[in-house]
Amino acid sequence: MPSILVTGATGQIGTELTLALRERYGDDTVTAAGHRREPPNNLATGGPYFSLDVRDAAALDAVVSQQKITVIYHLAALLSAVAESQPLQAWDINMNGLLNVLECARKHNCQVFFPSSIAAFGPDTPAFDTPQDTVQHPSTIYGITKVSGELLCDYYHRRYGVDARGVRYPGLISNQAMPGGGTTDYAVDIFYAAVRQKHYECFLRADTQLDMMYMPDAITAAIQLMETDARRLAHRNGFNVTAMSFTPAQLAAAIQQHLPDFTINYKVDPLRQGIADSWPRHMNDSAARAEWDWQPQFDLPAMVADMLAQITAKLHNA
Ligand code: SER
């Protein structure tokens, strides 16, 4: 049985991944670590929780030793838009945090999951059918930390045999914890606005097409990749994965199928529009499909139907 540590456990992915891992492997085998001193209720009651800053190498090492950790899902990071407003802090958290995790993994012989992103690509990458192996010249500090992270994970595998693996997530849509300062956050915010006030003011242009994925598929991707027999993996880090690709206008139209009164207007934020314009429109994820059987379950209509149902119930019960 693995003993798992999830860093960034109170974040958008971490909240749901921690619960899914506890469900799969048992509550006590999954240690959640977040920067909040007090964890949210669902994480506190279900299993071990530590308040941890991943930049503190000694504190990280102490948790890994104490909990006899064998697998680390390292999710603690700043997202694209917030990173752009504080580049030095983004470098510090995203890169030094990862380096500390990889050093810990080397010392304690742990497996590591590192989420990269569509942000690891840049304006000179082919925007459609973006290949697995292609030009990676990101123009954001977040993207630079993601492509550097992919390289660092590959280096620790090649140099020290650390079993580091990862995917390039697209925009993630979820209904538990909110995303914290990303460019694709509009695709989450729009659902709360649609249910609450039947109107959304979007910070990206109507025709901004980006890859997206519903959180249940993102969770499956992480666990499935980590459980795959290493002998099948030609790549290890930065697997392209996507489930759907749409524009704000197309998402609004899909919501209108359920809520005909829903309206949208556009007030473009130049920072986030510039970031989105530098990213691919639709990635090719055939390497993930071939090497570890990646297969998303949710397309746009299925995701929209489930999001609206979940958020309506959540706001009703609030
Ligand atoms: N969802 C992320 C962001 O917008 C992309 O990795 O920053």
Side-chain angles (χ1 to χ4, degrees):
M1 186 66 81
S3 176
I4 298 173
L5 172 66
V6 181
T7 73
T10 59
Q12 187 195 12
I13 305 174
T15 304
E16 295 190 47
L17 181 63
T18 301
L19 297 180
L21 289 168
R22 284 182 175 163
E23 177 99 24
R24 188 171 181 82
Y25 298 111
D27 289 348
D28 295 337
T29 62
V30 181
T31 299
H35 63 275
R36 291 189 210 162
R37 204 163 291 280
E38 294 301 328
N41 284 341
N42 53 354
L43 291 188
T45 51
Y49 178 86
F50 287 81
S51 171
L52 179 72
D53 183 336
V54 289
R55 291 172 294 182
D56 185 341
L60 176 66
D61 197 283
V63 172
V64 169
S65 301
Q66 182 185 324
Q67 300 295 102
K68 299 191 174 29
I69 297 297
T70 59
V71 182
I72 306 173
Y73 285 81
H74 175 51
L75 307 177
L78 293 191
L79 286 180
S80 60
V82 71
E84 217 49 43
S85 68
Q86 34 188 325
L88 295 186
Q89 190 156 10
W91 180 268
D92 192 21
I93 294 172
N94 293 14
M95 291 315 306
N96 290 327
L98 175 61
L99 196 60
N100 289 341
V101 165
L102 288 169
E103 269 300 292
C104 234
R106 180 177 72 78
K107 276 168 60 187
H108 298 278
N109 197 23
C110 303
Q111 195 190 21
V112 175
F113 176 81
F114 169 70
S116 185
S117 160
I118 49 173
F121 297 117
D124 54 0
T125 300
F128 288 94
D129 204 28
T130 308
Q132 174 64 40
D133 301 302
T134 185
V135 182
Q136 288 184 268
H137 293 150
S139 51
T140 63
I141 188 68
Y142 175 70
I144 292 168
T145 67
K146 287 302 181 187
V147 75
S148 306
E150 291 178 12
L151 293 171
L152 202 54
C153 286
D154 278 337
Y155 177 78
Y156 265 74
H157 174 248
R158 203 169 43 245
R159 181 86 164 75
Y160 302 115
V162 172
D163 186 4
R165 308 179 183 192
V167 299
R168 293 182 186 127
Y169 280 129
L172 296 180
I173 299 154
S174 63
N175 49 57
Q176 302 291 318
M178 298 300 283
T183 300
T184 55
D185 295 14
Y186 91 85
V188 176
D189 300 343
I190 193 171
F191 286 97
Y192 288 89
V195 172
R196 282 191 179 118
Q197 60 261 4
K198 299 208 169 4
H199 181 76
Y200 180 62
E201 183 166 277
C202 185
F203 58 75
L204 293 184
R205 250 188 359 252
D207 64 350
T208 311
Q209 184 185 341
L210 290 169
D211 277 310
M212 297 279 175
M213 186 184 295
Y214 196 29
M215 190 57 83
D217 280 330
I219 301 299
T220 303
I223 297 174
Q224 202 169 310
L225 171 59
M226 292 295 272
E227 290 184 349
T228 295
D229 184 336
R231 288 169 298 189
R232 286 190 63 194
L233 301 178
H235 300 84
R236 298 191 71 87
N237 292 286
F239 276 100
N240 289 358
V241 284
T242 185
M244 57 193 101
S245 174
F246 56 72
T247 66
Q250 289 166 333
L251 178 56
I255 292 173
Q256 281 159 348
Q257 299 280 316
H258 299 263
L259 302 173
D261 299 343
F262 174 66
T263 54
I264 185 166
N265 76 297
Y266 299 90
K267 188 172 175 215
V268 170
D269 167 17
L271 172 69
R272 286 179 286 188
Q273 187 66 51
I275 295 174
D277 288 342
S278 77
W279 290 350
R281 302 286 166 235
H282 195 29
M283 292 186 288
N284 179 318
D285 60 3
S286 53
R289 289 172 190 260
E291 292 178 38
W292 48 278
D293 308 319
W294 161 241
Q295 180 67 60
Q297 300 300 313
F298 286 86
D299 60 8
L300 175 60
M303 177 275 287
V304 168
D306 199 59
M307 276 295 280
L308 286 173
Q310 298 285 345
I311 288 174
T312 303
K314 183 173 168 178
L315 295 181
H316 185 75
N317 295 330

